[in-house]
Amino acid sequence: MDAPATIKKGRKFDAVLSGARAVFLRDGFEGASVDDIAAEAGVSKATLYSYVPDKRMLFQEVARHECARMAEATLDIVDFAAPPREVMTATATSLLRFLLSNFSLQMFRICAAESARFPELGQAFYESGPEMGCNRMVLYLKVAIARGELVAEDPVMMAEQFSELCKTRLWTRAIFGVQTEFTDAEIEHVVHEAVGTILARYGT
């Protein structure tokens, strides 16, 4: 029985990821060729395949890497000793700016377009993005609930509701291409309303 394919990292792995990211965002999943990715990364096809055995696994690794970087940046700004309004405002701002980024929008479109043929692409993006972000938010919510600052029987549901509120108005316009530029004031307004709604429901 053959061993499952795995990713192997080496000296040029970061260049491969960077090249793949650029080509996937430009050409989509189906339109992206391994030749183009190798050329963008400045490596040979043989080198690329020595790191990542197929295009689907490479796409999944790009999604995991970028979403993990965003999640870590968000976690870095979370002060577990701070009150919910402060933490949620900082988290919502970081999350919304990521959701409105070209990377996030394009990855969502790619996963939606390929979901019937390659559901594992969407699964990888969901696990690396929304699910990871939710899990990290839950860590803080449990602390705030224990301090009596929030009341919630299901902090996971609360975190999921919060992330959906952060997508109000602007993300929908962005994903359909209705609006491509967003002011700080627009982002701050959505964040303010999302935080206020959650605290009205769960705040003490």
Side-chain angles (χ1 to χ4, degrees), residues 7-26:
I7 291 175
K8 298 177 182 177
K9 298 185 179 181
R11 183 169 57 88
K12 296 183 178 180
F13 183 73
D14 287 344
V16 169
L17 273 189
S18 179
R21 182 187 192 280
V23 174
F24 283 134
L25 294 186
R26 185 187 71 213

Side-chain angles (χ1 to χ4, degrees), residues 50-81:
S50 72
Y51 292 140
V52 187
D54 63 57
K55 189 168 75 170
R56 277 179 287 180
M57 189 172 288
L58 183 55
F59 179 89
Q60 291 166 356
E61 183 63 14
V62 168
R64 188 202 65 75
H65 182 266
E66 292 294 325
C67 291
R69 187 168 65 177
M70 181 268 174
E72 287 168 6
T74 300
L75 192 61
D76 285 343
I77 66 175
V78 173
D79 179 358
F80 278 72

Side-chain angles (χ1 to χ4, degrees), residues 169-170 173-183 186:
R169 184 180 294 173
L170 301 186
R173 292 178 181 179
I175 201 65
F176 289 110
V178 175
Q179 185 176 349
T180 57
E181 300 290 334
F182 303 92
T183 67
E186 288 177 306

